[in-house]
Amino acid sequence: MHLDSVLHLMPRDGAPSPLYVYLHGAGATALAMVQVADRFAQAYPQAAHLLPDGFVADDAVPGMRAWFPGEVGDDSCLAERVASSLPALVEFLRDAQRQLGVTPLATALDGFSQGAIVALEIAQAHPDLVGRVVAFGGRYATLPSASPKAVIHMV
């Protein structure tokens, strides 16, 4: 993964920390998260802010992206569909952390709707990958059986 291929905001000087990754909802692109990322960038100018597009095409909205396949509101096999999307996002996050020199504890996922579902599931399935999740209008695909290691903010 090359950071140049991902919409991003970087600090002017020095090494970035923390890392914020913004995950849009289904039927959108990274551009949907620009205003949120800009607000966080104003508050945390030394942070790296990455806005990737979802990794799968959204069949319901031509030209738009999603994080996992399936219709919005279709909860059949939701946990399985979400789980199938996690490996690519885990690889993306680890690459970004390595390239930017940011620790998992200093990594935050900010997800909206479908992006929030994926962010919550990442924190549950890979407890040492992120330190914080901000979930806007999302929920768990599978309720956790234990308290998450990451700090979770449900908005």
Side-chain angles (χ1 to χ4, degrees):
M1 177 224 28
H2 290 281
L3 293 181
D4 291 341
S5 65
V6 175
L7 195 58
H8 61 275
L9 301 166
M10 296 293 190
R12 292 177 196 238
D13 298 314
S17 189
L19 167 61
Y20 287 94
V21 179
Y22 303 86
L23 307 175
H24 61 79
T29 66
L31 292 174
M33 298 298 286
V34 167
Q35 287 183 329
V36 173
D38 186 54
R39 291 286 179 116
F40 274 85
Q42 289 175 32
Y44 303 99
Q46 196 55 41
H49 304 269
L50 303 182
L51 298 90
D53 280 326
F55 299 147
V56 298
D58 188 326
D59 295 333
V61 186
M64 295 294 119
R65 308 299 296 171
W67 296 104
F68 55 86
E71 296 288 324
V72 173
D74 176 12
D75 284 351
S76 64
C77 305
L78 178 63
E80 292 84 7
R81 290 185 292 131
V82 173
S84 73
S85 72
L86 296 187
L89 187 54
V90 167
E91 182 180 347
F92 173 84
L93 292 169
R94 287 185 175 142
D95 282 351
Q97 290 166 340
R98 182 182 43 75
Q99 288 181 39
L100 296 170
V102 176
T103 67
L105 188 58
T107 301
L109 298 180
D110 293 10
F112 174 75
S113 190
Q114 194 187 71
I117 293 171
V118 172
L120 290 166
E121 294 299 313
I122 283 272
Q124 179 177 319
H126 300 274
D128 294 320
L129 186 60
V130 299
R132 180 174 310 273
V133 170
V134 181
F136 297 93
R139 62 182 175 90
Y140 283 99
T142 305
L143 289 176
S145 58
S147 296
K149 189 172 181 180
V151 174
I152 305 292
H153 302 276
M154 304 287 281
V155 182

